[in-house]
Amino acid sequence: MAQTVQGETGVWEMVIGLEVHAQITAKSKLFSGAATQFGAEPNSQVSLVDAAMPGMLPVINEYCVEQSVRTGLGLNAQINNFSVFERKNYFYPDLPQGYQISQFEHPIVGKGEIEVDLPDGSVKVIGITRLHMEQDAGKSMHDQHPTKSYVDLNRSGCALMEIVSEPDIRGADEATAYINKLRMILRYLGTCDGNMDEGSMRADVNLSMRRPGEEMGTRCEIKNVNSVKAVQQAIAYEADRQVEILENGGEIVQETRLWDPVKNETRSMRSKEEAHDYRYFPDPDLLPLEIANDWIEDIRKTLPELPDEKKHRFIEDYKLSAYDAGVLIAEHARAHYFETVTKGRDTKLAANWVINELLGRLNKDNTPLESSPVSAEHLGELVGLIEDKTISGRIAKDVFDIMIESGKDPATIVEEQGLKQVTDTGAIEGIIDEVLAENADKVEQYKAGKDKLFGFFVGQVMKKSQGKANPAAVNELLKTKLS
Ligand code: ADP
Ligand code: MG
């Protein structure tokens, strides 16, 4: 997809920075003990702190801090030993405190970077500016009653990480790759489930246009962009809108715009002049957060193997293509499944079976890997049966179908259905003789030079053996017989 826009007067380049809000995976909220489960009955997970009752005091959830540090480490970022919670003041019906506790001047995580994989196979480094912790707001519900709005405070006080990127992103493709990679890292780390449908990950898109090589122009910030598709559409729309203004001699006004997913357009929400003055100041109820290097190092030791390392290892150790390795490491569970299948077996054959047969089939059936009717152990056994020539690749596909249906192990299926490959040359020779006798005319034609008939004989022999004859042996023996 284009990173540039061809206008009437020449080429324009996109400059994009993303602010991603990621809900921290934790059983309780950032400053209260209330539960965080998604989809609970409205207002059933609200403590007195979350409802901002007078006199309530926030108490920091140590696990949320640990999760933020873990995320920072996963983003190759600077972890700050000193950070400060501040009050960001604004009024909104879903914000009972009248302010959001956030971090501003002193975030817990500073500069970092991630490598993103672009569609053309290249890798680009995108800078991370910072990561800070903050509370989520509640949710106004305008569609529950004809004349009233309701408020659900379940989300109020849930812990968020706001992850801000440098303006290093140059188009919708790169933005997509960035979000996908960030989500993959968070999921590997177990610090955010990355579920955009449930709002656990939300993005604000900052975009400006410039002539290639020139300074950055004035940007607009687009809010409410809650799916990867919306990010792509919002970027395309906004880039065109800005180019049109610039080409007609106009100027971009720095403003906050809202993405409307129904009309597929961005709309002005507020300009810089109307921008909120949040009157940030350190929250007097909370001490500055001081974290020791020892603790950071303890957390570092618990980090899992991250996607990049895993991909390199899969390419190195299993001799897989970068593409296959990329598919297999996309999900932690998927990589684990593959490693179980391939243990002690041919890695390329195993990768092929996991990617093309298993994932292809699950995808078609809309089944997540976690509920696969075929366990990794069973698929591994199937690969083993192909490798030791008990069955051919062709028969294996039939066995696999039965495994999907029945959940049985492949050896049992091969046994029950009598699918063992015939490698006994005597038996195969017998079948070949029958086929040649039944097709004496074709044998004549073949001998007279019609080479193409060889395939026909192979086909007949395979058919007569119900697919069980070893194809290599059939080829070999047929050649001898016909020469
Ligand atoms: P704010 O505090 O107003 O949100 P920040 O300086 O934190 O502003 O920037 C927010 C996001 O905007 C960052 O992701 C940053 O990379 C991006 N950004 C900054 N300047 C530009 C620009 N001129 N064009 C596009 N994106 C920009
Ligand atoms: Mg911002």
Side-chain angles (χ1 to χ4, degrees), residues 58-326:
V59 177
I60 185 88
N61 179 339
E62 183 180 341
Y63 185 67
C64 291
V65 179
E66 184 182 325
Q67 290 284 63
S68 302
V69 171
R70 184 172 287 121
T71 305
L73 293 171
L75 301 176
N76 305 303
Q78 165 70 35
I79 310 298
N80 294 325
N81 299 104
F82 177 87
S83 64
V84 177
F85 286 106
E86 304 203 29
R87 290 187 180 179
K88 179 180 182 179
N89 298 278
Y90 66 96
F91 173 79
Y92 206 74
D94 62 19
L95 188 76
Q97 274 171 167
Y99 58 85
Q100 178 191 26
I101 304 178
S102 181
Q103 296 185 310
F104 187 57
E105 243 177 286
H106 301 281
I108 186 164
V109 175
K111 281 202 183 308
E113 59 181 38
I114 61 177
E115 283 183 8
V116 306
D117 306 282
L118 300 178
D120 67 359
S122 66
V123 170
K124 175 168 176 170
V125 176
I126 306 279
I128 303 288
T129 312
R130 57 189 267 153
L131 174 158
H132 66 253
M133 280 187 278
E134 64 184 25
Q135 297 176 299
D136 206 346
K139 206 165 105 189
S140 299
M141 301 162 94
H142 306 294
D143 53 1
Q144 308 286 309
H145 188 278
T147 56
K148 291 178 183 166
S149 283
Y150 292 136
V151 171
D152 175 8
L153 294 180
N154 280 352
R155 219 174 57 185
S156 167
C158 282
L160 298 179
M161 299 179 280
E162 178 170 331
I163 303 166
V164 182
S165 88
E166 291 287 297
D168 289 344
I169 299 165
R170 290 289 168 276
D173 271 1
E174 292 187 12
T176 304
Y178 172 79
I179 292 173
N180 286 340
K181 188 57 171 286
L182 182 60
R183 178 166 50 191
M184 201 195 292
I185 294 171
L186 298 178
R187 288 172 59 102
Y188 263 69
L189 293 167
T191 56
C192 169
D193 65 26
N195 197 331
M196 290 185 103
D197 294 339
E198 295 179 0
S200 321
M201 226 176 116
R202 318 190 291 261
D204 297 340
V205 177
N206 294 268
L207 183 144
S208 63
M209 302 300 293
R210 68 175 174 193
R211 297 292 189 189
E214 284 186 3
E215 296 285 295
M216 291 200 289
T218 305
R219 74 187 148 109
C220 291
E221 177 173 354
I222 311 159
K223 295 215 172 274
N224 193 36
V225 202
N226 294 335
S227 69
V228 172
K229 189 159 158 247
V231 168
Q232 295 166 344
Q233 292 173 325
I235 288 173
Y237 179 90
E238 185 62 16
D240 284 346
R241 190 189 70 86
Q242 292 189 14
V243 165
E244 176 144 351
I245 294 173
L246 292 168
E247 298 226 308
N248 288 311
E251 271 181 31
I252 303 300
V253 198
Q254 184 170 341
E255 61 180 356
T256 305
R257 301 178 67 86
L258 186 81
W259 172 246
D260 181 334
V262 178
K263 293 194 180 141
N264 272 349
E265 61 178 30
T266 64
R267 255 202 320 272
S268 183
M269 256 173 89
R270 53 176 183 265
S271 71
K272 197 182 178 187
E273 286 71 45
E274 309 156 50
H276 288 130
D277 176 2
Y278 292 118
R279 292 170 294 123
Y280 279 101
F281 64 88
D283 192 312
D285 291 338
L286 291 158
L287 289 168
L289 197 57
E290 291 187 40
I291 53 186
N293 285 332
D294 286 353
W295 192 53
I296 298 172
E297 289 316 308
D298 285 347
I299 296 171
R300 194 192 298 277
K301 284 185 206 124
T302 69
L303 292 192
E305 182 182 41
L306 289 169
D308 289 337
E309 290 169 68
K310 207 185 271 299
K311 185 172 174 184
H312 293 145
R313 182 167 63 80
F314 276 24
I315 294 171
E316 281 291 303
D317 292 4
Y318 298 134
K319 308 286 176 242
L320 298 181
S321 67
Y323 178 83
D324 284 357

Side-chain angles (χ1 to χ4, degrees), residues 38 190 324 364 391 445:
F38 178 80
D324 284 357
K364 205 170 110 226
I391 55 175
Q445 293 170 16

